[in-house]
Amino acid sequence: MTDERDAKHALPRALQQAGGMREGVPRRVAEEIGVPEAHAHGVGTFFHMLARPEARLRVCTGLSCRMAGGDRVLKAAQEAGMPVEGVSCLAGCDVAPAVLRERRVLPDVRAQDVEEAKGDWQALMSRGGLSEESWCGHVWPERPDAEGLALDLHGAIDLDGTALRRAEEIGPERVIAAIEESGLQGRGGAGFPAHIKWKGVRSQAETRRYVVLNADEGEPGTFKDRELLVRRPDRVIEGLVIAARAVGAEAIWLYLRGEFEVPWRVLEETLEAFRGAGLLDGLEFHLHAGQGAYICGEETALLEALEGKRGMPRHKPPFPTEVGLWGKPTLIHNVETIACVPGIVMRGGAWFRGLGREEPGSKLYCVSGHVARPGTYELPLGVTLDELVEKAGGYVGELFAFSPGGASSGFLPASERGRPLDFKSLSEAGTMLGSAGVVVLNDSYPLREAVLDQLRFFEAESCGQCAPCRIGTYFLRDALERRLSAEANQTDALRNVSEASWQMNEGSICGLGQAAPLPLTSALKHFPEEFGGPEAAS
Ligand code: SF4
């Protein structure tokens, strides 16, 4: 890397270590590392955890955490005079309400816990006896099953590099052929066929290439990557190495959300073990901590952030396979996608394909909200909601609605409980599998509030780069608030929702702006009575 690139890349970490955007910090850090002060200021104000360093506690305001009482926790902390703010998502929906204390996620925190801390934010502890240093969520199946599961979260960590040796034996061409035969689709949300990306990078004339791991999991309802990184770091690292060797990359970048303190430590230890066994020879590994911005889960925004800039999505094309990190061909994958690779190499593409139903592979489903055992469930891709919730101990109360794939997927009615939760079937229903973060609602939490929660989320997390998204996310949230407010009582407040949604869909650069209307438009479609009847939106 050039000096300028090194300096910019180092900037977010340097700002963090200097205490974030406090007075004088951007100027001092900019001088020390050699970037313009304006650039330091731009980056520092973009990322939540750098922009507001005075907040030492952050209470999750995502849907599942609100349903579990996150609002009460936030209010109690404010009333106790603690330095606290709300935050969009902490990837802790299964242990809701989740709270971030500095960079450590505390699971299952109640208002009573805040009261017991007596105003001392450092004394805030988790309820339920989960160890702060090493807690994990509930995962299913509860026994190892290497033959029947692609991820096998309860399987023993394998530091022998068995899949790496197999990949070396068969060579890159056959590795990519196995990925193609497997039908592996990206597990981060888009469902794009993985082998097309691999071939795309491998075929580039440019020989400096990169592999990037997208571990910036931040979609409300989603927490599977957190479990994978902690329970099967071997699969993640083996997958990255196999991918790098197959596409001819020498450097691998792992972008972890900044709140993933425990996964970071586990990955470092596992890398050390692999390195000690001589399994990483010829490869550079770099870990990079995010600083709090949901949009950096979008692949090009993540690349911008890795380069030390504001994490704003790029126009596509060109795609990262051609022009990626520092302008070089880049293979970028979500954690779950890359962790499927060792199993495919060991057991073959046909084996993986056979693990699913209509679509290939087993799949990690996150389920939270009104179910008995929230957690991460590895099941055939294409199970129904009823099948998933049966594994999760059943519904709590009567099913009213569910969100099938994170905030971006909107809401479906209970009548869709038998629909396969896969890419095609959900697309036909006008929604998406996304990251398979399933949130279940009974009628004890008003759907109107759930929709408002999602709209607030998108408004808070829009990067602001394009007008339809920046203005549209504000407009939708404001329109629904005006409709629901007893004082305003604006019965026609939702009249322009459909026009605004069309403009957002057509005019936004990235998926955030395109998906942001879905919570409201899907709810208006399936639950018009919640908003005053079909005429409310016409
Ligand atoms: S759609 Fe929204 S989040 Fe995406 S680039 Fe535009 S303003 Fe940013």
Side-chain angles (χ1 to χ4, degrees), residues 159-161 164-165 270-281:
L159 298 177
D160 294 337
L164 296 184
R165 295 181 208 281
T270 312
L271 276 171
E272 206 43 54
F274 273 110
R275 203 173 276 123
L279 295 166
L280 307 183
D281 293 350

Side-chain angles (χ1 to χ4, degrees), residues 340-361:
C340 289
V341 169
I344 293 169
V345 166
M346 288 301 297
R347 293 171 193 277
W351 167 80
F352 181 84
R353 193 174 272 278
L355 298 178
R357 292 186 180 167
E358 293 295 314
E359 293 182 4

